[in-house]
Amino acid sequence: MTSEITLVVNPTAGRGRGAHAAQPAARALREAGFFVRTLVGEDAPDALRRARSAVADGTGALIAVGGDGLVSLALQAVAGTTTPLGVIAVGTGNDFARALELPIGDPARAGRRAARALHAGTARAIDLGRVGRTWFGTVLATGFDSRVNDRGNRMRWPRGRFSYDVAMLAELAALRPISYRMSLDGGPPQDLEATLIAIGNGPSYGGGMRICAGAELDDGLFDVTVVADCTRTTLLRVFPRVYRGTHLDHPKVTVHRARSITVEAEGITGYADGESLGPLPLTASCVTGAVRVLTHG
């Protein structure tokens, strides 16, 4: 293993915490004997190009300092390679780090843990979802939740988590069922009316909403959570249970497990790891052992 590793930084993550987090994380890694290069792109495409170049040049690890958006970018660079991924979680949601039980909001501790994992050679192989050429680590949203993302992204005020809350209230007011066609593992298509279909490689999105609470990162399967057509009142009653994962017991909720899924619906955009994948239809596949992550130590 080379002693040179690369930090890729999102300076705007967590309302500016990304820029401040890079220094204690890099210090912890240097104190552990690693030569640290810090990479900050001019924009997301430039950061991805630089990250891919670092991986191609043989960096010992690519370590993402930011939130789930930056982790998503880093996954595009390391998936399918032998380069391990580290995460210094200082974003707003941090669902990828949460699924791996990594430190959140403590960059020095996260840096020390990544260093120990590198020294011990204990990178953990986990699955990733893939849609076309795009990889994702947590959840692919395709319904009410993705409509909330759409609306939140269009809003100029408020920003951050508040925009998500306001967008959710607006979408609740406009709640209507979605006509889906869903096919699991290449099987016959099923037509259904539902509020959302969430495809989970990991258990949570949106900062701890355990929509696919039973999902495991290394079982080779997606957990597919289907919330049936329901009223605003029912959705408001079920929603608080999502943070505990107890919504899965509700009669309006069904869970399937599959290696691949195709979802079709008019006027719906897919969001994976909070990033837009474009309009449905989309086919997602679970790829076993697609990335190695620095977790133990």
Side-chain angles (χ1 to χ4, degrees):
M1 180 197 72
T2 177
S3 63
E4 180 181 295
I5 59 177
T6 303
L7 294 187
V8 56
V9 179
N10 178 1
T12 65
R15 300 182 181 179
R17 288 194 298 271
H20 296 294
Q23 294 180 1
R27 187 181 307 117
L29 288 157
R30 290 188 178 108
E31 289 173 353
F34 294 97
F35 177 79
V36 179
R37 295 175 55 211
T38 300
L39 180 164
V40 181
E42 296 178 1
D43 51 26
D46 182 56
L48 178 55
R49 180 186 62 78
R50 292 169 184 252
R52 282 177 166 154
S53 178
V55 170
D57 289 343
T59 188
L62 185 69
I63 299 182
V65 185
D68 288 324
L70 191 69
V71 170
S72 175
L73 183 147
L75 286 175
Q76 313 314 310
V78 298
T81 76
T82 59
T83 303
L85 172 69
V87 178
I88 310 297
V90 291
T92 303
N94 304 308
D95 288 288
F96 189 78
R98 187 175 284 106
L100 293 164
E101 299 182 343
L102 294 173
I104 293 173
D106 190 341
R109 180 176 166 226
R112 291 192 295 270
R113 185 161 174 176
R116 290 196 299 269
L118 282 165
H119 280 308
T122 54
R124 174 187 172 190
I126 65 167
D127 309 332
L128 293 178
R130 184 170 62 189
V131 177
R133 295 183 178 181
T134 301
W135 301 88
F136 67 94
T138 56
V139 178
L140 168 56
T142 70
F144 173 80
D145 41 11
S146 60
R147 282 176 168 163
V148 171
N149 262 317
D150 275 337
R151 186 180 290 269
N153 289 342
R154 293 195 302 268
M155 293 170 57
R156 295 190 177 185
W157 185 91
R159 306 300 299 172
R161 289 294 300 275
F162 287 115
S163 68
Y164 189 88
D165 294 338
V166 172
M168 180 176 291
L169 290 173
E171 284 300 324
L172 273 171
L175 183 67
R176 61 193 185 278
I178 299 167
S179 298
Y180 286 101
R181 175 163 288 187
M182 177 180 74
S183 177
L184 302 173
D185 289 331
Q190 309 171 44
D191 292 320
L192 63 155
E193 299 286 308
T195 301
L196 64 85
I197 297 176
I199 302 159
N201 182 59
S204 71
Y205 60 8
M209 298 167 59
R210 296 175 57 80
I211 188 70
C212 300
E216 300 285 347
L217 290 171
D218 55 5
D219 63 356
L221 297 169
F222 291 131
D223 275 35
V224 180
T225 300
V226 179
V227 179
D229 178 18
C230 58
T231 65
R232 294 183 189 89
T233 300
T234 299
L235 192 58
L236 284 168
R237 285 176 179 169
V238 173
F239 177 75
R241 298 171 57 180
V242 173
Y243 287 94
R244 302 186 301 274
T246 57
H247 65 291
L248 298 182
D249 296 330
H250 194 278
K252 286 286 187 178
V253 178
T254 306
V255 177
H256 308 271
R257 290 187 170 86
R259 294 185 183 278
S260 67
I261 176 173
T262 299
V263 182
E264 303 176 42
E266 290 288 335
I268 299 295
T269 300
Y271 282 84
D273 294 342
E275 303 296 312
S276 175
L277 293 180
L280 273 55
L282 294 172
T283 297
S285 302
C286 184
V287 181
T288 303
V291 68
R292 299 167 62 235
V293 290
L294 302 173
T295 59
H296 304 293

